[in-house]
Amino acid sequence: MAGLRHSLAARVTALFMLIVALAAAGLGTYLYVSFVAEIERRDDVALLGKLRQIQLLLGRPGAAGLLDTQPGLFRDTMSGQENSLVRFLAPDGTVLADINAGSERYPVPAAAGTSPDRAAIADWTGSRGDPGRVVAGTARVGDRTVTVVVARLYAERSAMFARYRGRIAGAAALSALAVALCAALILRRGLRPLRVVAAHAALVRPGTLARRLDAAGAPSELLPLVDALNAMLARLQEGYARLSGFSTDLAHEFRTPIANLLGQSQVMLAQPRTVAEYENLVASNIEELERLARMIESMLFLARAQQDEVLPERRPLQAADELAKVAGFFEGMAEERGLRLACTGAGVVHADPALLRRALANLVSNAVRHADEGSTIVLSAHAADDAVELGVENTGAPIAPEYLPHLFERFYRADSARGDAGGSAGLGLSITGAIMALHGGSAGVVAEGTKVRFTLSFPAASHPAHP
């Protein structure tokens, strides 16, 4: 029962059944009321016609004697009207004649003259509970005026109405059942595309993410769902591929320092060494361990950033001051390679100070590693109406256009012409991209020949971002 209660087809079928039952019942009620009103009207017209017929009969010569001596003659005028009752009353209320074989007691309404209408007809109920109608009118009999009362019971009419109501109820029930059956069949056929979608979803595995739902035969109402599922599968495929690549890259990045640690330690322990050699080994191992620690810290930051666990505390910061601070930090490293750091531009950046400096530091560190000796690294700021852009530009080995879209991916490194990457884990630019995503901004890169420019675009104060 719980399955039926939660079944879309069952609920829609029940709804259709209810709608049809209500519609059929409403239509049947309307027809029944109209039918009853018409039958009652026709019976009232017949009752008034019978009264008129008796009035005409009483107006003939000799009718007074007939009324006194042969009242049964008036029964004959009621042929086919066995349930009709007739009473003649003198002006003083004396009953002159009463045609009432069943001894029914019925009220005598006030006489409505010689030409009563339907408004003069009154209701009454027979001894067996059958409904009846009665009307009274006047007629001239010789030199006197008598009151003629005509009444009738409608036992057969009540039975006919009851049968009619039963037929209407039966027709409504049968219509509802027929519609329920048709609706169930139509829904089963109409929901077949959903079953196909469900069957396809059940087959989704890491190795089947490349398969897509066929939208050619789907109804137009399901096309948005099919398109959304195909887009979801595409994102899953892309995410799974990136996860697989990330796992491979991670294993490769961890394997190198671990292999160095094991190899150096095994060689050192192969034979007795001096204290200085052991100290050199420990120092080398510390360097590798520090590299691993930095890599793990960077990966944890990226994981937290993707889960929105890193919430930037935005403050208005002078871009020129932030560029100068980062340039001062890398000044000694730049001098070792004969590089110069220049800062230009101004503007106000709404960002987390620590995260902004980390992003800039990653770009400047990358520029210092890859810039040509003796060149100048330019740190710039440019304010526009809807954004503030910070840039780090250097001159060095060119980057092929096909590498540019991947520079902010984890563990990605461009071609070897970019210099020695041994000191880098390939996570700095991806961290920069994550920081910009937290601020609602974007990180980009443009390469023109030997000039490479990395940019950080922050939303302006009038366009605040929500992480």
Side-chain angles (χ1 to χ4, degrees):
M1 293 298 294
L4 290 177
R5 189 164 57 249
H6 297 290
S7 170
L8 175 62
R11 287 184 296 196
V12 173
T13 300
L15 183 61
F16 267 107
M17 187 174 180
L18 177 62
I19 292 174
V20 172
L22 291 176
L27 178 61
T29 301
Y30 171 76
L31 294 176
Y32 173 77
V33 171
S34 300
F35 175 74
V36 169
E38 180 62 20
I39 294 298
E40 290 179 346
R41 186 192 68 82
R42 294 178 63 182
D43 286 343
D44 287 347
V45 170
L47 190 65
L48 292 173
K50 187 56 61 178
L51 173 62
R52 183 58 180 167
Q53 184 180 359
I54 294 175
Q55 288 173 329
L56 292 176
L57 183 61
L58 290 174
R60 293 180 180 179
L66 293 176
L67 183 61
D68 296 331
T69 61
Q70 299 182 21
L73 177 65
F74 295 96
R75 180 184 298 276
D76 297 336
T77 65
M78 309 296 285
S79 177
Q81 306 287 337
E82 291 78 5
N83 291 330
S84 295
L85 311 173
V86 182
R87 182 179 299 173
F88 300 96
L89 300 175
D92 59 358
T94 303
V95 177
L96 301 176
D98 189 6
I99 303 173
N100 187 352
S103 301
E104 292 286 348
R105 300 179 63 183
Y106 55 90
V108 178
T114 57
S115 300
D117 55 13
R118 291 189 64 195
I121 302 177
D123 293 315
W124 66 287
T125 303
S127 58
R128 298 181 180 179
D130 299 324
R133 300 277 279 173
V134 59
V135 64
T138 59
R140 292 291 298 176
V141 181
D143 56 352
R144 59 179 176 170
T145 300
V146 299
T147 300
V148 181
V149 182
V150 179
R152 186 182 176 189
L153 288 172
Y154 297 101
E156 74 289 350
R157 190 175 73 178
S158 298
M160 178 182 65
F161 289 163
R163 291 193 300 271
Y164 193 60
R165 288 194 299 270
R167 291 174 183 175
I168 290 176
L174 289 177
S175 299
L177 290 175
V179 168
L181 179 60
C182 294
L185 295 176
I186 293 173
L187 284 172
R188 179 173 179 80
R189 183 176 182 84
L191 293 177
R192 184 177 177 275
L194 286 180
R195 292 195 295 273
V196 173
V197 171
H200 184 89
L203 297 176
V204 172
R205 299 287 186 277
T208 62
L209 292 176
R211 296 176 57 185
R212 298 291 182 268
L213 292 172
D214 184 13
S220 58
E221 292 81 3
L222 291 183
L223 287 179
L225 174 62
V226 173
D227 293 340
L229 288 176
N230 285 336
M232 180 190 70
L233 290 174
R235 292 193 298 271
L236 287 175
Q237 183 182 12
E238 179 184 1
Y240 185 76
R242 293 179 61 182
L243 180 61
S244 299
F246 171 72
S247 301
T248 303
D249 293 337
L250 183 63
H252 174 74
E253 295 295 332
F254 278 179
R255 182 178 59 184
T256 300
I258 292 175
N260 291 339
L261 290 171
L262 288 174
Q264 293 175 3
S265 299
Q266 289 171 350
V267 170
M268 186 62 67
L269 295 176
Q271 56 185 352
R273 304 289 181 178
T274 64
V275 174
E277 289 176 328
Y278 283 122
E279 290 179 349
N280 291 334
L281 173 64
V282 172
S284 176
N285 287 349
I286 288 176
E287 290 181 0
E288 294 294 340
L289 291 173
E290 288 177 344
R291 180 183 176 191
L292 282 173
R294 289 193 300 271
M295 188 183 307
I296 293 173
E297 180 185 359
S298 298
M299 290 171 54
L300 288 175
F301 176 85
L302 289 173
R304 293 173 57 207
Q306 288 185 342
Q307 297 297 325
D308 291 336
E309 295 180 9
V310 180
L311 300 177
E313 182 182 355
R314 295 184 180 85
R315 300 177 185 174
L317 305 172
Q318 294 295 327
D321 295 342
E322 298 302 320
L323 294 179
K325 290 177 183 178
V326 175
F329 180 80
F330 285 94
E331 187 174 359
M333 185 185 302
E335 288 179 353
E336 292 180 1
R337 300 196 62 231
L339 301 173
R340 294 183 300 278
L341 296 174
C343 299
T344 181
V348 178
V349 178
H350 291 261
D352 184 293
L355 295 179
L356 171 62
R357 292 162 193 166
R358 184 170 186 177
L360 285 172
N362 288 337
L363 297 184
V364 176
S365 173
N366 184 72
V368 170
R369 280 199 306 270
H370 300 298
D372 292 338
E373 293 186 6
S375 63
T376 300
I377 299 175
V378 180
L379 285 70
S380 62
H382 173 70
D385 293 337
D386 58 349
V388 178
E389 184 178 278
L390 306 182
V392 177
E393 181 177 321
N394 70 276
T395 302
I399 303 178
E402 61 268 21
Y403 296 137
L404 295 179
H406 306 287
L407 291 182
F408 291 94
E409 296 178 3
R410 297 176 182 177
F411 298 118
Y412 186 82
R413 299 186 183 92
D415 58 316
S416 58
R418 291 285 297 162
D420 180 22
S424 170
L427 292 173
L429 292 181
S430 60
I431 290 177
T432 299
I435 291 173
M436 295 310 299
L438 289 173
H439 287 81
S442 61
V445 58
V446 178
E448 297 179 356
T450 59
K451 288 187 178 295
V452 180
R453 176 179 172 82
F454 286 88
T455 59
L456 306 178
S457 181
F458 290 87
S462 58
H463 299 78
H466 302 277

